[in-house]
Amino acid sequence: LSVLAAPAMAAEKVYKLKMAEGWPTNFPIFGDSPRNMAKMAEEMSNGRLKITIDSANKHKAPLAIFDMVKGGQYDMGHTASYYWKGKDPNTLFFTTMPFGMTAPEQYAWFYFGGGMELMEKVYKRHRMLSFPGGNTGVQMGGWFRKEINSVDDLKGLKMRIPGFAGEVLAELGAKPTNIATGELYTSLERNTIDALEWVGPSLDLRMGFHKIAPYYYTGWHEPATELQFLINERSWKKLPKDLQEILRVAMRTAAYDMYIQSTHASGENWATMTQEYPNIQVKRFPTEVIEAMRTANDKLLKEKAEANPVAKEIIESQAQYLKQVRAWTNIADKQYLDSIAGE
Amino acid sequence: MIGVLMFAAALVLLLFGFPVAFTFGGVALIFGVFSEGMDMFAFMPFRIMSIMQNTVMMAIPLFIFMGLVLQKTRLAEQLLESMGTLFGRVRGGIAISTILVGALLAASTGVVGASVVAMGLISLPVMLKYKYDKRLACGTICASGTLGQIIPPSIILIILGDVMGIPVGDLFQAAVGPGFILIAVYIIYILVYTWLNPDAAPAMPVDDSIDRKALYFKAIKAIVPPLALILVVLGSIFAGIATPTESAALGGVGAVFLALFYGQFSFKMVYDSGIETVKVTAMVFAILLGATAFSMAFSYTGGEEVVEEVLLSLPGEKWGFLFLSMLVILVLGFFIDFVEISFIIVPILVPIAEILGINMTWFAILIAMNLQTSFLTPPFGFSLFYLKGVAPEGVSTMDIYKGVMPFIVLQVLVLMLLLFFPEFMGFES
Amino acid sequence: MSSTSAPLLMRLENGLNWISDRLGSISALIFLLLLINVFYDVFARYLLNDVSIGLQEMEWHLFAAMFLLGVPFTLRVDGHVRVDLIYERLSPNGRAWIDLAGTLIFLLPFCLLVAWFGLDFAKEAYELGEGSGDPGGLSNRWIIKAAIPVSFGFMAVSGMGLLLNSVNTLLGYHKPIYHKTEL
Ligand code: NA
Ligand code: NA
């Protein structure tokens, strides 16, 4: 009898994981993804896997989730990989890249094109696992107070645009500028900066930028921003096989759910914005500007590939995969949208 | 439960008089380690780092420096004296000037510590010199220093906008009216109080031998430079030359130039102002370091859940909810920094307020006014600590406590006005 | 103020105070650099249309270093606020007892514990070679992170100074550091 009882008892053990998210309490969309995930994991495991979530309001360190998960203060994190590029340059590639893949293309790369393996390779060094954590879809190129008609218009342009995209613009003479989030609105309103990028209608609406900047440029720099679930390796290994699998499925489902939720919210909020402010002018960067950005982007990627063998491997994998999958996207999605668009 | 005990323990232990910052830290340590073990303190470096990277707070040392240079070169004194003279036989002229200068400073910064400390340095010595009642002087400074909370740009409104999902521009716009009403109410109070108690704030002695015109001319000459400096600070923000934080540096450098212009400059003066700035800034930030440890222990030992439970058990109707939530914020404001309150408490309130159909902009302004009041409430209002930190010898803690009382009453009255007559302030309730 | 009867404890206190005073001077100089730094950044952005993320980041580095090193100095000059309703009415010995107990129970354990975890924090940044993730940002993030254990370590040093100050007061060598009085 005792032989039979033991595994039954063991199966009832409840595993508790603490997760830190990089967003404030009640933050729409981004904050829904980890909560959906935790709820699914708990229900699928019949209550054996309980995940509690601390928001940035509680842990105060949204830009140190990497360290807190690595150090074991938290078992998991919900954040984005490119925030860690200052700690490990190779983490940059697992969120989104300028001129890179769209969300469906990038998911295909992660799960069928070798992306997950490369991500594992990068995070293994830090004794962590990383999984896709939800996609925003194409992010907008940002709010501009003045029109960009040529590469010259980018020269001296003071823009809040962090990370790698900022480096690309700096190559063209723009001046990426740091402004505290709380002072962004005032800075744009008073021309302390000329432009800024945030996300897209899903999250830009509540920032109110559309009231003070007339031009809304379409995206080029973050075509498919993928968030990230980070897990401490020791916490992962403590879970029995079935719970690991439940967690894996919950994360993958929550990530996809966030992608469609973003699409939904962007559509809804875009309608609100254009209704309230019919004067918003949606603009596309001229071809000349886009080409200059692409050249700068390629140059910087080449430098990164030369500096680091793992970076080289990732950049090549992404480039090859993009080339193949894009040919299909172009004759499928793009042709479909173009051919039915009419005038 | 541990959270509640922590509050009680801090309340008693702070009264022993060991520095506030380290009492907060020590209480956090004892309760945190007892309940969660040493490892909880592994979070501290992360929390400290977030204070270090909060560039908005940089305005604190920069404004303190500006205040110190203006004080050491006696430019601030001349400004306030001359403004006092312009009020002629009106009693309380310097106090009214303090309110006005405080309001101007409030319009350039949103950081309360910065404006209380700067006003404490600039105007407290002057009011004491002209035999103002110590309590009136202290109350005036604390109250005018906290105006920065409500008059835009204000950090608290920015944070609330973020937490509550309201565009910051809307909040700034909505706060202007209540801000002006507060200023008016303070000034009326000072006029009435000094009329009833003539000795509390003597009018500036008027030298009858000098011709009135010459007197005004002399006064204006003294007012223009420092006032121009403040306008430069403000103007640089409105012209988009600088962010509010950066404008504080323009003020500091500008003050040094003024000193140069008036022949008051010396490297020693600059260095001494630097040392004083360090002292006052360290005093303010040590409290923030202690307070972050305290709120860390509070939230990781389950204090947050206790508060949430209390708040969720609130009556499901508008007035009960509004009243109790205001009360909870006021009480927590005794101990916890307003940033932490906005982060911990406000997110719990927001969904309930939404269900009750409360106008969110109005609710945000109510919370901001309430937090402003909690800065002033003894025994642990942060403004009181800050003023005590820069007050000259002879100003006791009790003077400050008693001095702010009438201003607390005034604030509560304006808060009530806003609560019961939102239409009056331009809100739809 | 006797200097012959307990030279050791007094000299030790003075030695610790000397260290804390130096921190004050360093901190003041860092502040002046901060002032120039911010002023220059505004000047360059507005008049030269030039922005350097590195210099912008230098602002918070200087700001953080300034207040972190300022805290131990301020402890030594008794600049930290006390709720002195009771404290100011106590005898010098009463005050010394409170400072002695507070330092032992609150200050030293708190500062040493934070310093201890701060070491790991800085070490991790050093091992990763962490730097800024923004274009033109500063490298060597470990230096500013190390300011945390350094600051809290020196707070403990200043705390030892306060402890000795209390002991020396109780032994009758001098008055306690606190000197604010009613007019
Ligand atoms: Na973005
Ligand atoms: Na303000």
Side-chain angles (χ1 to χ4, degrees), chain B residues 106 109-110 148 151-154:
Chain B
T109 174
I151 296 175
S154 135

Side-chain angles (χ1 to χ4, degrees), chain B residues 61-249:
Chain B
L62 295 169
F63 268 116
I64 290 171
F65 179 79
M66 181 180 90
L68 279 162
V69 173
L70 289 178
Q71 183 207 41
K72 282 195 193 300
T73 55
R74 309 195 7 137
L75 287 168
E77 197 177 327
Q78 287 168 21
L79 168 72
L80 288 169
E81 281 174 359
S82 307
M83 282 178 80
T85 319
L86 285 185
F87 284 104
R89 299 260 172 221
V90 176
R91 292 193 189 87
I94 305 179
I96 294 173
S97 310
T98 298
I99 301 270
L100 293 175
V101 174
L104 278 176
L105 206 57
S108 58
T109 174
V111 186
V112 168
S115 34
V116 170
V117 168
M119 292 309 295
L121 292 167
I122 290 175
S123 83
L124 188 52
V126 184
M127 284 197 267
L128 294 181
K129 177 177 159 192
Y130 286 96
K131 302 272 175 294
Y132 271 52
D133 178 46
K134 275 188 266 179
R135 289 170 187 170
L136 177 69
C138 292
T140 306
I141 289 169
C142 283
S144 66
T146 46
L147 280 174
Q149 273 285 64
I150 200 88
I151 296 175
S154 135
I155 301 301
I156 184 66
L157 292 178
I158 291 170
I159 292 175
L160 285 176
D162 192 34
V163 172
M164 301 174 75
I166 310 169
V168 178
D170 293 5
L171 281 184
F172 280 4
Q173 225 172 346
V176 173
F180 272 110
I181 290 180
L182 268 182
I183 296 172
V185 166
Y186 290 166
I187 291 178
I188 292 169
Y189 167 75
I190 289 171
L191 286 174
V192 171
Y193 181 83
T194 52
W195 181 60
L196 293 174
N197 307 278
D199 294 338
M204 295 289 295
V206 178
D207 187 352
D208 284 329
S209 65
I210 304 179
D211 161 50
R212 281 229 141 233
K213 253 192 198 145
L215 188 77
Y216 284 137
F217 185 69
K218 194 173 151 242
I220 286 170
K221 233 176 86 185
I223 289 177
V224 168
L227 209 57
L229 177 67
I230 295 178
L231 291 180
V232 163
V233 171
L234 276 181
S236 70
I237 302 175
F238 285 107
I241 295 172
T243 64
T245 310
E246 292 168 339
S247 77

Side-chain angles (χ1 to χ4, degrees), chain B residues 1 5 39 50 65 77 94 98 113 198 208 229 252-253 257 279 295 324 358 369:
Chain B
M1 204 50 219
L5 283 177
D39 281 348
S50 84
F65 179 79
E77 197 177 327
I94 305 179
T98 298
D208 284 329
L229 177 67
V253 173
F257 273 110
K279 243 190 266 178
S295 68
L324 278 174
I358 292 170
M369 289 269 271

Side-chain angles (χ1 to χ4, degrees), chain B residues 13-23 25-30 33 38-42 44-46 48-49 51-55 57-58 61-62 65 134 239-243 245-250 252-253 256-257 270-271 273-275 277-283 285-287 289-290 293 379-380 384-386 388-389 391 393-399 401, chain C residues 21 23-29 31-32 34-36 38-39 41-43 45-46 56 59-61 63-75 77-90 98-111 113-114 117-119 121 130 141 144-148 151-152 155 162 178-183:
Chain B
L13 291 168
L14 280 169
L15 289 174
F16 279 97
F18 195 65
V20 172
F22 298 100
T23 307
V27 171
L29 178 99
I30 292 165
V33 169
M38 299 265 232
D39 281 348
M40 190 181 72
F41 273 74
M44 272 305 282
F46 296 107
I48 295 169
M49 193 72 184
I51 297 176
M52 291 160 67
Q53 287 184 284
N54 188 341
T55 49
M57 305 261 241
M58 229 157 50
L62 295 169
F65 179 79
K134 275 188 266 179
I241 295 172
T243 64
T245 310
E246 292 168 339
S247 77
L250 299 188
V253 173
V256 174
F257 273 110
V270 174
Y271 175 78
S273 305
I275 288 272
T277 304
V278 166
K279 243 190 266 178
V280 179
T281 308
M283 178 267 287
F285 280 86
I287 294 179
L289 292 175
F380 306 119
L384 311 175
F385 290 155
Y386 296 153
K388 177 69 185 166
E393 285 191 23
V395 174
S396 72
T397 305
M398 211 29 122
D399 292 329
Y401 285 4
Chain C
D21 286 340
L23 289 176
S25 314
I26 295 171
S27 200
L29 292 176
F31 170 75
L32 294 174
L34 167 69
L35 186 71
I36 295 168
V38 180
F39 183 79
D41 286 348
V42 176
F43 174 82
R45 189 183 58 227
Y46 190 69
Q56 280 196 312
E59 291 176 6
W60 70 259
H61 281 68
F63 156 67
M66 172 243 171
F67 80 75
L68 283 174
L69 296 181
V71 173
F73 163 68
T74 305
L75 186 62
V77 294
D78 196 41
H80 289 297
V81 183
R82 304 166 179 266
V83 178
D84 51 7
L85 294 173
I86 297 172
Y87 190 86
E88 69 183 352
R89 287 168 221 280
L90 296 179
I98 284 183
D99 284 346
L100 183 70
T103 309
L104 280 175
I105 301 171
F106 294 155
L107 192 148
L108 289 177
F110 175 65
C111 295
L113 196 60
V114 175
F117 283 112
L119 277 178
F121 184 69
E130 186 178 352
R141 192 51 67 84
I144 192 62
K145 287 192 167 178
I148 296 175
S151 162
F152 279 77
M155 276 182 225
L162 181 59
Y178 182 87
H179 52 75
K180 287 177 186 158
T181 44
E182 199 101 14
L183 259 190

Side-chain angles (χ1 to χ4, degrees), chain A residues 139 197-199 222:
Chain A
Q139 294 204 1
E197 70 83 44
W198 198 239
V199 177
E222 297 204 22

Side-chain angles (χ1 to χ4, degrees), chain A residues 103-122:
Chain A
E105 291 170 344
Q106 190 171 267
Y107 277 130
W109 174 71
F110 270 124
Y111 290 111
F112 299 98
M116 287 302 284
E117 290 76 9
L118 287 167
M119 183 149 74
E120 193 182 323
K121 191 167 176 177
V122 169

